[in-house]
Amino acid sequence: MASKRDYYEVLGVARGASADDIKRAYRKLALQFHPDKNPGNAEAEEKFKEAAEAYEVLSSPEKKARYDQFGHAGVGGAGQGFGNVDDIFEHFGSIFEDIFGFAGGGRRGRQSGNRARKGADLRYDLAITFRESVVGTEKKIAIPRRSSCESCEGTGATKGTKPVTCNTCRGHGQVAIQQGFFSYATACPDCQGSGKRIASPCGDCKGSGSQTKQSNITVKIPAGIDTGMRLRVSAEGEAGTNGGPAGDLYVFIEVQEDKNFRREEFDLVFPLRLGVAQAILGTEVLIDCFEEEPRKVEIPSGVQPGQRLVVHGAGVPKLEKYGRGKGDLVIEVLVEIPTKVTKEAEEHLRAFAQKHNESVKGGGGFFDRIFGG
């Protein structure tokens, strides 16, 4: 198998070429090797596809950066879908319109007016509580969307009738216009590109075949989801046209803050406030980790302020793509020092300080000498 040529060499530009230089170079080659200008010329067709592949990579800042760093290995999938020249026109779409000044790039016989098309995707922003993000839940949401008209079953024609093929374009949705050596297509003026004409439009959808309705959808929220993640609900977007499939619904998640916890990936971080005696002597605490029962956690004696205690497997459930199991419960120890104590407590503290050879204020030791206590 022959190795691929360098993309910069294909377009005839330097590696530091600007986006405009790359586009101009591609336009020149696309015009030179265009199939309509070189009918039946297999070599020209290959050069046309080669130039399109190079332009696809070098016109994309992300792909260009990967190519500059790793060469062809960094953009292994580029251009693989260009089995024929029609794939190129289909892939670039508006790019060809921009380069050549008209839709289709001059390709003869492109017939897409009555082709089935997938409906548009929809977005829905959903706020959930912190607890719901940890344990999972189901949410019912209402979204307005265009769906197939029930009265005419999406045909746009009154029930009992059917759309008929447009005589002007013969169902292609486009009519050909000759301009120099190019023959390009434009939307049929009689059927507006649909390829069909409706003699008796449906009264409910006015012949469009779809209506905007509010749809109630139940969305399953998996345990472990986090802010910024999205859920794809297949076929719950806008209705397709000409028998095409419906689009998808994308639900973007925002998790509200919790007063007790914060999240670090799949770990639950819990700030635990302890008194001085609890930190010195140790204690037991109950922590609600969103499980069936609160977790009983033993706090060891001598725990230090700022110390982190870890309870393995008591955190957030991991989503499937991140593995199995759960993260950890991470306890951050905060020791609260009382600002006032009783006389009796003070005497005990002074005795404690004396026994541990600690100088304290009012005890005739080091702090008294410094501060004059």
Side-chain angles (χ1 to χ4, degrees):
M1 178 183 293
S3 59
K4 287 186 178 182
R5 286 203 298 157
D6 179 82
Y7 287 148
Y8 291 98
E9 178 186 343
V10 170
L11 296 184
V13 296
R15 284 191 168 268
S18 67
D20 287 340
D21 290 337
I22 291 171
K23 189 171 184 179
R24 278 193 292 269
Y26 176 58
R27 183 181 185 278
K28 180 179 178 181
L29 291 173
L31 286 168
Q32 180 181 351
F33 298 113
H34 197 286
D36 286 349
K37 193 175 182 181
N38 302 273
N41 189 327
E43 182 181 355
E45 183 172 318
E46 286 303 313
K47 289 185 178 295
F48 185 73
K49 291 193 287 187
E50 184 184 42
E53 180 178 325
Y55 181 69
E56 182 200 14
V57 172
L58 299 185
S59 63
S60 164
E62 295 79 10
K63 292 180 181 179
K64 182 176 181 294
R66 293 201 304 271
Y67 180 74
D68 288 345
Q69 186 172 3
F70 302 109
H72 291 293
V75 289
Q80 290 184 357
F82 298 156
N84 54 57
V85 293
D86 279 334
D87 289 338
I88 297 174
F89 293 120
E90 185 68 28
H91 178 79
F92 285 121
S94 61
I95 296 177
F96 265 91
E97 183 176 353
D98 179 47
I99 291 176
F100 292 98
F102 46 81
R107 182 61 176 165
R108 294 188 304 268
R110 296 192 72 215
Q111 301 169 356
S112 59
N114 59 353
R115 185 178 57 193
R117 294 182 182 275
K118 182 180 178 181
D121 295 334
L122 297 177
R123 170 175 178 152
Y124 187 92
D125 296 327
L126 178 63
I128 61 175
T129 66
F130 193 91
R131 173 180 286 273
E132 289 172 334
S133 75
V134 175
V135 302
T137 186
E138 287 188 351
K139 290 286 188 179
K140 291 184 178 180
I141 61 176
I143 58 171
R145 62 175 180 175
R146 293 195 67 81
S147 56
S148 181
C149 176
E150 295 179 359
S151 298
C152 65
E153 298 180 344
T155 66
T158 300
K159 193 171 183 178
T161 67
K162 293 182 179 180
V164 296
T165 301
C166 175
N167 291 328
T168 302
C169 65
R170 297 184 180 181
H172 295 157
Q174 298 175 334
V175 291
I177 296 178
Q178 191 73 30
Q179 186 179 67
F181 64 82
F182 284 127
S183 174
Y184 69 95
T186 186
C188 174
D190 289 339
C191 66
Q192 288 75 50
S194 69
K196 301 176 183 179
R197 299 185 68 180
I198 300 174
S200 178
C202 171
D204 290 339
C205 67
K206 304 299 187 292
S208 68
S210 62
Q211 293 177 298
T212 299
K213 295 182 179 179
Q214 180 167 290
S215 300
N216 297 313
I217 301 171
T218 299
V219 180
K220 186 175 181 180
I221 311 297
I225 201 164
D226 201 3
T227 293
M229 295 182 179
R230 69 179 188 179
L231 301 172
R232 175 177 171 266
V233 187
S234 180
E236 292 293 355
E238 299 264 347
T241 57
N242 295 320
D248 299 324
L249 169 66
Y250 288 91
V251 181
F252 286 74
I253 300 297
E254 180 182 353
V255 180
Q256 299 168 346
E257 293 185 359
D258 187 83
K259 65 179 181 180
N260 296 320
F261 292 93
R262 72 174 189 275
R263 181 169 167 173
E264 293 180 357
E265 294 186 353
F266 292 101
D267 291 340
L268 279 177
V269 181
F270 181 77
L272 176 63
R273 301 181 184 278
L274 296 176
V276 175
Q278 290 176 313
I280 295 173
L281 302 176
T283 186
E284 280 187 349
V285 295
L286 291 176
I287 301 177
D288 180 5
C289 302
F290 311 109
E291 298 173 323
E292 291 184 2
E293 298 289 339
R295 286 260 181 168
K296 182 183 289 186
V297 181
E298 183 177 338
I299 307 301
S301 59
V303 70
Q304 299 297 306
Q307 185 175 343
R308 283 188 157 203
L309 307 175
V310 178
V311 181
H312 295 290
V316 180
K318 294 181 180 179
L319 296 172
E320 184 177 350
K321 67 178 181 179
Y322 296 102
R324 297 181 178 179
K326 300 171 69 173
D328 301 326
L329 170 64
V330 180
I331 301 172
E332 288 185 340
V333 176
L334 304 173
V335 179
E336 295 185 322
I337 309 297
T339 57
K340 294 182 179 181
V341 295
T342 64
K343 187 67 176 178
E344 181 181 3
E346 181 181 343
E347 291 174 356
H348 286 299
L349 286 171
R350 290 190 182 282
F352 179 88
Q354 184 177 6
K355 186 173 184 179
H356 289 79
N357 197 28
E358 295 179 2
S359 296
V360 295
K361 185 177 180 180
F366 174 78
F367 283 98
D368 271 352
R369 292 194 296 272
I370 294 296
F371 298 106

